[in-house]
Amino acid sequence: MFRAIADVFRMVGGALATLVSLPFRAVARLFGGASRGAGGRR
């Protein structure tokens, strides 16, 4: 019983972590590409 509840919480936690980290990854990729582009133009 408790194991099933723990599994559900683990799944929800993993999904939340993925959803929260996705925007930060996108922003990091944007800034990484922008800094690389700016450095190459100089």
Side-chain angles (χ1 to χ4, degrees):
M1 176 72 184
F2 286 112
R3 180 173 249 165
I5 293 170
D7 284 340
V8 169
F9 274 121
R10 204 172 297 131
M11 282 170 49
V12 171
L16 277 176
T18 304
L19 283 173
V20 168
S21 67
L22 274 175
F24 288 109
R25 274 193 222 156
V27 169
R29 189 175 296 166
L30 278 174
F31 278 112
S35 66
R36 257 183 263 136
R41 265 184 242 132
R42 279 185 198 165

